[in-house]
């Protein structure tokens, strides 16, 4: 039963993180927030920042954080 819960939780976490990624790539909210908090200042020039934003690096990072947070909840649930 625990293995089944883990597999279902893993699939759910993957689907939710994929949905978060797709939503973030369709909107400009994350890019606006990144500019407001100065993430683009970490790059030496604006072209490097633009290239990183075009590669959806921020979206992938946020989706990965969502996935691992959900997986932490799944693991806690399975170990109960």
């Amino acid at each position: 039963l625990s293995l089944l819960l883990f597999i279902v939780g893993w699939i759910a976490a993957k689907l939710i993180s994929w949905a978060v990624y797709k939503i973030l790539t369709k909107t400009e909210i994350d890019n606006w927030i990144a500019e407001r908090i100065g993430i683009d200042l970490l790059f030496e020039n604006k072209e490097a920042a633009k290239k990183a934003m075009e590669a959806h690096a921020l979206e992938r990072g946020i989706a990965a954080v969502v996935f691992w947070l959900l997986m932490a909840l799944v693991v806690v649930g399975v170990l109960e």
Side-chain angles (χ1 to χ4, degrees):
L1 182 63
S2 294
L3 183 61
L4 180 64
L5 287 174
F6 181 79
I7 292 171
V8 169
W10 178 74
I11 291 171
K14 271 294 194 193
L15 289 174
I16 292 170
S17 67
W18 176 79
V20 167
Y21 173 76
K22 285 297 184 182
I23 289 169
L24 289 176
T25 56
K26 299 282 185 205
T27 63
E28 293 293 319
I29 294 171
D30 55 327
N31 295 336
W32 179 77
I33 292 171
E35 288 175 6
R36 297 286 290 176
I37 63 174
I39 289 179
D40 60 340
L41 296 177
L42 297 175
F43 297 101
E44 289 182 17
N45 56 15
K46 295 292 180 182
E47 188 156 329
K50 189 175 181 182
K51 203 176 280 187
M53 290 298 174
E54 287 174 4
H56 302 296
L58 185 61
E59 290 89 344
R60 283 194 310 265
I62 293 171
V65 168
V66 168
F67 172 76
W68 287 111
L69 286 175
L70 291 173
M71 282 306 295
L73 293 174
V74 167
V75 170
V76 168
V78 167
L79 293 177
E80 278 290 319

